[in-house]
Amino acid sequence: MAKDHAIVELQHVYQMYGRGERRFTAVQDVNLTVREGEFVVLLGPSGCGKSTLLRIITGLQSPSEGTVLYRGEPLRGVNPHATIVFQTFALFPWLTVLENVEVALKAKGVPAKLRVARALDWIDVVGLDGFEMAYPRELSGGMRQKVGFARAMAVEPELLCLDEPFSALDVLSAESLRGELLELWVGGKIPTKAILMVTHNIDEAVYLADRIVVMEKNPGRIVNELQIGLPHPRQRKSPEYLRIVDQVYALLVGQTQPEAIELGSAPGEPGRTRSLPAIRIGDLAGLLEHVAESAKPAHDVYVLKDELGVDDDYLFRLIDAAEMLGFGTVSQGDFIITPLGETFAAASILARKEIFATRISRIPIFRWLMGLLKAAEGNELEREVILRALELEFPPEEAERQLDIIIEWGRYAELLSYDDDREVIFLERAPAVKTAA
Amino acid sequence: MPASLGPPTGSPGLFTNVPASFPARSVPICTGVQPFHFLRREVSVTTRRRLFEFIRPERGLSFNDIVIILVIGVLVYVGARLALRAPAMVQGPTISLEPAVLPWYALRSVIRMLAAYLLSLVFSLVYGYIAAYNRRAERFMMPVLDVLQSVPILSFLPVVLLSLSAVLPERIATELASIVLIFTSQAWNMTFNWYQSLTTIPNELREASAIFRFNGWVRLKTLEFPFGAIGLIWNSMMSWAGGWFFLMAAEIFTVGQRDFRLPGLGAYLQEAANQGNVTAILWGIGTLVLVIVLLDQLVWRPLLVWADKFKLETVESDFPPRSWFYDLLQNSRLWKWWGAHVWAPFQEKLDEWMVRVWPAEQAPAPGRRTRPWLGYILAGIFGAALVYGVFRAGEMLLMVPGQQWGEIGLGVLATLLRVAISLIIALAWTLPVGVAIGTSPAVANLVQPIVQIVASVPATALFPVFLLFLTRIFGGLNVASVFLMLMGTQWYVLFNVIAGASAIPQDLKYTSALLQLSRWERWRLLILPALFPYLITGAITASGGAWNASIVAEHVEFAGRTLSTTGIGALIARATAAGDYPLLLAATLSMIVTVVLINRVLWHRLYQVAQERFRME
């Protein structure tokens, strides 16, 4: 066997998209080893390249640079010893439960009798007997994912990859499915040698993993690794468990940086242009109101998550926005509201807009756009023009998303406006000018 | 008959190529009774972008278009050159009007259709597959298809008939010409649809089939075919409807001394009209309707019911299609026995064998490079042939005297005017009627089956019959031909208006009632904007159909008389009769260029606007 029973090894893996000036790094210099008997979780915000890594490991995608070793051998093409359980189940809607499991075996050339027997066994293991002849559309989300597990397990993979398998499920089904997965895995009831899961749910990661690999975005990279030594089944209320959760939140939410770094630079200038977090402004106000109402000065982010009932990813984006706008700061896993944030939370609708407008005027990407618009004829620019400029800073789809966020924030602040018919962005004219015209 | 899922173009075929939904699956285009739930699969952003790459509606003619039109021009030229040797007189077989021959004639017509359909199916599957999986091929295969489907197919009929009869025995030439013609009317929409299915397969299902190492066969059977099946069936139905239209025309094409006809239903009807035999006309139409209804009941409906399980929807639909014949089959012992003892074991063996001989794809071996020089050589040969062809075609075109060019221009204008008038008449009556039907389910249930049967009769089959009456009433073909065009085209507008009206959301209807909008305001603010995408879709199809119909509507020979009027269709027919090949080439090309230009400049743009501004989401 290869050194210390490594199953998969990634060495200096990079994934790049686009070319020339518009070349972007999605995954940067990733080194990762998954060993036999390990349950590894890749944890990070959306867009950090964790799903890309999963596709590289299974051979669905080959990296731009770097090597993927499977049991010490370079991987070529789709890895026959690995399989994936998909976030959206990826069941064939026109096949029954049995046929969905069977087809994976059929593709391997397993003869009919053996195939049916094995498929039925696995359907039994995941607890779906009685539903063999049902179509996926007749099943609940949790049951569909069970079919996904049965199908993946039926091919008896050495490496089982889970791509956010519980995130499309309701809370209760997700919880029971997690328990059942642990039972199979810890109880040694499946032939799988290692599990690699991708998620952005911190609690889920701490509950399941032997090791958590923390990733960050822009560019996607590994920033930390954490060994979880707690025995299964883990007690969510135990102090050790909560300490680890707090620690992971602190890692992911980061520290508020000095303003220059927090705001980034304008497009075209040296330095990195910060991307604006995709949030609804009303939700940001909601977060600030919630925090302002309680007397505590600092809020554990993981507690906030439970109180607000949002998912980790979105909460991080809200906090990110609060930091950018100067409404809050983060330190060691705690969120602290600033006096400005409190003022915003207490303000009337119009006053909020005014505060928001002065704050976003400080963000370089807005300053840059306002400058462009002031210089432009008729104070307006075509969407396409701005998009092209943004595409030098962000990958195409991200550029589009950023422009939409800019427009939404700008509209809320009544600084700029957008005409969807003509696809033109223009400065919001002062009311005096409007009446004059 | 439902929608094509192809990108937008105007469409030539009357019943074919129902155009151009773009981005195809997001707007249900309804040309039949069925609400097309399956059309609402969302197109991913990437697919949309991919489609935009090669079809840029905002431009007039692109470089690609010009090359393709040149190629078509050269092909027409080759046809016209060959036609020089066509026999000056062609004697068609005698057509019997005995009702007893009808089953035999019907069978021959159906076999022609079947041959053309199978050809189209194979073509679509292969062409679509290559275009979907080979990005380099895709870049030129899809624009080619886009132009091909906006070319008025009937304008080719004379050239195809004449050139084939020059090189082949007459009977075979006529049979082949009819099959080629039907093929060109059937293939494009099916190809577009299949291509589109392949490119819109959800990514997660693709990844699942890759991770479980499906080989090409298992992937086709488990993923690609099921995903495309429903669209393919609907488009096949449409293609058949379109095929009838062209078969009727191809069976009874008569100009001057050349009488191309094939024993079949179309020829029967023509002959019956010639002799003014009303009983025979009724027998003929009755048989035609019967054949169409039988095919619908025994083939298409059961197929649709069977394919219902391929819907991507994750919930059960409220109105699954039904078929008595399918139920009957399902309950028959023989069918079950066949399924269990022959079909299933056969499939199992086939799958086993396919998995054994066809390994799952591995990653492409590194260092393997395609040979670009081969491509360059082929492109060079193609280019040289094209230049030579264009040169020769140009020579032939130069032989056309200026006065004839004037005639062509006048003809194009006259036909354009007729197309416009027929469209306006169609809109004028279908708007109120369609809205009345579409907004009231009770009326819809009553009227729709009738309308469907009436509309299922290909207009070309009725031409001779209508001529009998129309020329008497209006005196001239000039007016009568507008009505002939209208006959074939109005149904598409009507079906689309009905579909659009029934898709107006109830809450908007309530709102306009609560606001107490006047009748005019209601039409202006709600009904017309909501109908706009559907109207455009219907109008594109209708105008395509009208251009096609002009070939057979503007120049008619029957009962020993020749009726002709000013128009490009008449000019093409007259050139064929007179054996004036330069004129035939010039007129055919002018018509093609006109129609393609109108599609690009007018319809593409309107379609764009309809898609972007007036879509209900």
Side-chain angles (χ1 to χ4, degrees):
Chain A
M1 285 216 186
K3 46 180 176 177
D4 60 359
H5 307 286
I7 290 190
V8 172
E9 250 181 288
L10 298 185
Q11 296 171 340
H12 305 292
V13 162
Y14 286 79
Q15 184 71 52
M16 260 88 85
Y17 295 108
R19 51 175 65 170
E21 262 189 317
R22 288 156 204 260
R23 191 173 169 86
F24 296 92
T25 311
V27 169
Q28 180 180 287
D29 195 20
V30 164
N31 295 287
L32 175 70
T33 308
V34 178
R35 296 178 192 85
E36 232 173 72
E38 262 191 320
F39 192 136
V40 179
V41 171
L42 288 177
L43 180 69
S46 59
C48 73
K50 52 193 194 299
S51 288
T52 310
L53 273 188
L54 200 70
R55 274 151 188 76
I56 290 174
I57 287 170
T58 49
L60 284 177
Q61 192 176 333
S62 52
S64 313
E65 274 174 47
T67 9
V68 184
L69 297 179
Y70 191 83
R71 295 244 181 234
E73 298 285 322
L75 184 65
R76 281 243 315 269
V78 177
N79 188 341
H81 307 290
T83 189
I84 299 183
V85 174
F86 294 89
Q87 179 181 11
T88 45
F89 323 133
L91 300 178
F92 298 100
W94 37 82
L95 299 184
T96 60
V97 168
L98 179 62
E99 287 167 334
N100 260 300
V101 180
E102 247 190 274
V103 76
L105 295 168
K106 192 186 229 179
K108 287 178 79 178
V110 180
K113 266 209 187 109
L114 188 59
R115 194 171 72 209
V116 175
R118 256 167 77 180
L120 285 174
D121 275 351
W122 282 110
I123 291 171
D124 203 19
V125 169
V126 299
L128 276 181
D129 35 349
F131 290 95
E132 296 88 355
M133 291 303 151
Y135 285 94
R137 69 175 80 96
E138 300 170 70
L139 304 179
S140 68
M143 288 162 98
R144 285 181 205 173
Q145 195 56 297
K146 286 183 175 186
V147 182
F149 274 106
R151 180 175 65 176
M153 251 97 90
V155 297
E156 307 192 337
E158 271 192 328
L159 175 65
L160 181 63
C161 295
L162 312 175
D163 185 9
E164 309 209 13
F166 309 112
S167 67
L169 306 179
D170 61 279
V171 181
L172 291 179
S173 337
E175 190 53 26
S176 80
L177 211 52
R178 269 182 220 124
E180 285 164 36
L181 171 67
L182 263 187
E183 205 184 304
L184 293 175
W185 166 244
V186 178
K189 292 177 190 157
I190 46 176
T192 303
K193 299 271 168 55
I195 298 182
L196 179 66
M197 182 169 93
V198 153
T199 186
H200 62 250
N201 183 329
I202 293 170
D203 176 67
E204 180 175 293
V206 177
Y207 188 69
L208 295 173
D210 297 324
R211 180 155 60 103
I212 297 178
V213 176
V214 182
M215 296 188 68
E216 252 315 328
K217 60 177 174 182
N218 295 326
R221 64 202 187 278
I222 294 178
V223 289
N224 221 314
E225 288 200 21
L226 214 66
Q227 206 75 35
I228 315 279
L230 302 176
H232 290 289
R234 290 173 182 164
Q235 303 300 319
R236 283 208 165 88
K237 298 281 180 237
S238 75
E240 302 97 307
Y241 188 92
L242 288 177
R243 191 182 50 77
I244 297 173
V245 169
D246 197 18
Q247 192 187 348
V248 178
Y249 269 97
L251 273 176
L252 272 169
V253 79
Q255 301 277 345
T256 304
Q257 303 290 321
E259 197 178 43
I261 301 175
E262 200 62 58
L263 296 183
S265 62
E269 285 172 15
R272 205 162 60 81
T273 306
R274 269 294 313 270
S275 58
L276 302 178
I279 55 148
R280 286 177 295 273
I281 295 163
D283 293 346
L284 177 61
L287 166 72
L288 294 172
E289 278 172 37
H290 175 84
V291 174
E293 270 166 25
S294 77
K296 284 185 294 178
H299 289 255
D300 273 318
V301 176
Y302 75 91
V303 178
L304 273 182
K305 179 223 153 134
D306 288 338
E307 287 172 354
L308 295 169
V310 291
D311 82 5
D312 291 328
D313 211 32
Y314 191 58
L315 180 61
F316 289 155
R317 274 183 271 155
L318 284 176
I319 290 176
D320 194 19
E323 287 180 87
M324 280 184 100
L325 296 165
F327 293 159
T329 56
V330 169
S331 159
Q332 291 170 350
D334 290 342
F335 178 72
I336 303 142
I337 190 167
T338 60
L340 185 67
E342 279 172 349
T343 317
F344 183 82
S348 69
I349 295 177
L350 289 180
R352 275 186 184 176
K353 281 180 180 249
E354 237 168 84
I355 299 173
F356 195 79
T358 43
R359 293 312 294 179
I360 66 171
S361 305
R362 301 165 60 87
I363 299 176
I365 203 168
F366 268 99
R367 272 213 314 269
W368 164 79
L369 181 60
M370 301 295 284
L372 283 183
L373 287 173
K374 275 182 193 132
E377 196 180 332
N379 290 350
E380 58 175 46
L381 281 171
E382 280 172 39
R383 179 194 169 88
E384 214 44 36
V385 173
I386 298 165
L387 199 58
R388 290 283 159 268
L390 286 176
E391 276 178 5
L392 293 173
E393 302 293 331
F394 304 104
E397 271 169 36
E398 178 63 21
E400 203 141 339
R401 199 161 37 234
Q402 285 298 314
L403 186 53
D404 288 340
I405 298 172
I406 292 173
I407 291 172
E408 199 192 317
W409 288 21
R411 275 173 162 173
Y412 178 80
E414 296 181 23
L415 287 178
L416 40 93
S417 216
Y418 178 62
D419 182 342
D420 193 46
D421 287 343
R422 294 190 300 136
E423 302 209 332
V424 159
I425 297 170
F426 52 94
L427 281 184
E428 183 77 43
R429 288 163 187 79
V433 182
K434 228 182 239 169
T435 47
Chain B
M1 272 109 264
S4 127
L5 301 174
T9 55
S11 73
L14 179 49
F15 294 72
T16 44
N17 309 340
V18 171
S21 47
F22 191 45
R25 288 182 194 248
S26 41
V27 158
I29 294 168
C30 179
T31 42
V33 206
Q34 302 292 328
F36 300 103
H37 300 296
F38 71 93
L39 292 175
R40 304 206 176 149
R41 285 175 191 163
E42 255 313 302
V43 180
S44 70
V45 176
T46 42
T47 317
R48 221 176 278 184
R49 195 169 282 155
R50 221 166 147 189
L51 287 171
F52 267 112
E53 264 174 31
F54 48 77
I55 298 160
R56 298 182 188 283
E58 64 273 15
R59 262 199 263 155
L61 289 182
S62 68
F63 174 74
N64 274 336
D65 293 340
I66 292 167
V67 171
I68 294 157
I69 288 178
L70 285 179
V71 172
I72 293 175
V74 171
L75 287 179
V76 176
Y77 161 76
V78 172
R81 281 292 304 205
L82 281 172
L84 285 175
R85 289 188 281 143
M89 212 179 93
V90 177
Q91 184 70 54
T94 326
I95 303 295
S96 159
L97 289 187
E98 284 296 310
V101 299
L102 276 171
W104 170 238
Y105 281 3
L107 186 67
R108 297 206 41 175
S109 291
V110 170
I111 288 173
R112 256 165 235 142
M113 290 280 290
L114 191 64
Y117 172 71
L118 290 179
L119 201 63
S120 309
L121 190 63
V122 172
F123 172 88
S124 306
L125 293 181
V126 175
Y127 196 100
Y129 209 88
I130 296 174
Y133 286 113
N134 185 332
R135 294 225 55 181
R136 200 180 294 175
E138 179 192 35
R139 297 195 148 273
F140 102 108
M141 284 171 94
M142 296 322 284
V144 167
L145 208 59
D146 189 42
V147 173
L148 280 178
Q149 79 161 346
S150 55
V151 164
I153 294 157
L154 269 188
S155 66
F156 285 147
L157 178 59
V159 176
V160 172
L161 269 174
L162 288 173
S163 58
L164 283 178
S165 69
V167 290
L168 290 172
E170 207 175 287
R171 290 275 295 281
I172 300 174
T174 331
E175 289 282 1
L176 213 58
S178 75
I179 290 172
V180 168
L181 195 75
I182 298 165
F183 166 81
T184 53
S185 76
Q186 289 183 330
W188 320 138
N189 63 317
M190 287 164 59
T191 311
F192 257 124
N193 177 258
W194 175 239
Y195 161 82
Q196 204 142 22
S197 295
L198 289 175
T199 48
T200 51
I201 291 177
N203 206 26
E204 87 241 16
L205 291 182
R206 282 218 172 278
E207 288 190 336
S209 51
I211 200 78
F212 291 109
R213 302 170 62 73
F214 288 6
N215 68 1
W217 170 251
V218 179
R219 197 177 62 201
L220 182 73
K221 206 180 135 178
T222 333
L223 178 60
E224 290 155 347
F225 180 73
F227 189 79
I230 298 179
L232 211 52
I233 293 171
W234 278 110
N235 276 278
S236 297
M237 291 170 72
M238 253 173 46
S239 286
W240 270 75
W244 284 114
F245 178 88
F246 292 102
L247 178 71
M248 291 300 133
E251 278 184 357
I252 51 179
F253 195 73
T254 308
V255 274
Q257 295 294 299
R258 297 190 171 100
D259 183 5
F260 297 100
R261 62 168 97 169
L262 291 165
L265 283 176
Y268 181 93
L269 279 168
Q270 161 89 337
E271 188 61 29
N274 258 344
Q275 299 183 12
N277 186 338
V278 179
T279 330
I281 288 175
L282 290 178
W283 272 109
I285 292 176
T287 312
L288 185 60
V289 171
L290 187 69
V291 169
I292 291 172
V293 169
L294 276 181
L295 280 172
D296 184 62
Q297 292 294 313
L298 301 184
V299 180
W300 301 119
R301 294 273 132 203
L303 270 177
L304 277 178
V305 175
W306 168 77
D308 196 48
K309 64 175 172 180
F310 297 135
K311 251 185 229 161
L312 205 57
E313 273 159 33
T314 43
V315 287
E316 304 274 357
S317 66
D318 296 339
F319 304 103
R322 307 201 149 275
S323 158
W324 59 269
F325 188 62
Y326 183 80
D327 295 342
L328 194 124
L329 277 181
Q330 287 293 298
N331 292 326
S332 93
R333 287 227 178 130
L334 190 66
W335 186 258
K336 278 184 194 156
W337 182 88
W338 164 266
H341 292 96
V342 183
W343 186 238
F346 166 74
Q347 288 240 323
E348 187 57 43
K349 284 268 171 291
L350 182 68
D351 290 351
E352 240 171 64
W353 184 73
M354 282 293 200
V355 169
R356 220 176 33 242
V357 299
W358 191 351
E361 278 152 52
Q362 277 301 317
R368 214 193 91 211
R369 306 199 61 189
T370 48
R371 286 158 296 173
W373 52 266
L374 191 68
Y376 290 135
I377 291 177
L378 286 177
I381 293 174
F382 175 78
L386 185 63
V387 169
Y388 179 72
V390 169
F391 174 72
R392 295 304 299 264
E395 257 183 355
M396 192 183 242
L397 286 180
L398 283 179
M399 287 156 60
V400 179
Q403 168 245 341
Q404 276 189 347
W405 281 111
E407 259 179 75
I408 290 176
L410 192 68
V412 167
L413 276 180
T415 306
L416 183 63
L417 198 65
R418 269 187 212 107
V419 171
I421 293 173
S422 79
L423 208 55
I424 289 168
I425 298 177
L427 284 176
W429 83 263
T430 56
L431 260 179
V433 174
V435 170
I437 297 177
T439 47
S440 139
V443 181
N445 285 337
L446 202 73
V447 179
Q448 285 214 347
I450 304 168
V451 174
Q452 239 204 341
I453 296 225
V454 175
S456 72
V457 180
T460 38
L462 298 177
F463 272 12
V465 184
F466 270 70
L467 272 176
L468 271 180
F469 305 103
L470 279 178
T471 47
R472 271 183 218 153
I473 301 166
F474 294 105
L477 194 63
N478 200 3
V479 181
S481 61
V482 174
F483 279 88
L484 291 178
M485 289 177 181
L486 184 65
M487 269 172 37
T489 58
Q490 55 197 354
W491 306 116
Y492 280 95
V493 191
L494 179 65
F495 286 146
N496 275 289
V497 173
I498 295 176
S502 56
I504 298 177
Q506 194 62 42
D507 47 357
L508 288 184
K509 280 192 261 180
Y510 286 145
T511 311
S512 61
L514 282 173
L515 293 175
Q516 299 194 319
L517 296 181
S518 68
R519 176 178 286 258
W520 160 240
E521 288 279 282
R522 201 176 304 180
W523 273 83
R524 192 173 66 87
L525 291 175
L526 177 61
I527 298 176
L528 287 179
L531 286 183
F532 190 70
Y534 295 86
L535 281 180
I536 294 302
T537 305
I540 291 175
T541 323
S543 93
W547 280 101
N548 256 322
S550 72
I551 309 273
V552 277
E554 291 178 346
H555 180 96
V556 196
E557 293 180 24
F558 85 115
R561 282 193 298 155
T562 300
L563 297 176
S564 195
T565 180
T566 316
I568 190 72
L571 212 58
I572 290 175
R574 278 210 300 275
T576 312
D580 187 346
Y581 301 109
L583 180 62
L584 179 61
L585 177 68
T588 307
L589 274 182
S590 307
M591 180 156 173
I592 291 171
V593 171
T594 312
V595 173
V596 172
L597 260 179
I598 291 174
N599 280 330
R600 286 300 152 94
V601 175
L602 182 69
W603 295 121
H604 265 188
R605 265 180 216 179
L606 284 175
Y607 203 86
Q608 211 46 13
V609 175
Q611 287 297 303
E612 279 166 15
R613 299 248 341 248
F614 294 99
R615 211 167 58 183
M616 295 260 182
E617 294 218 293

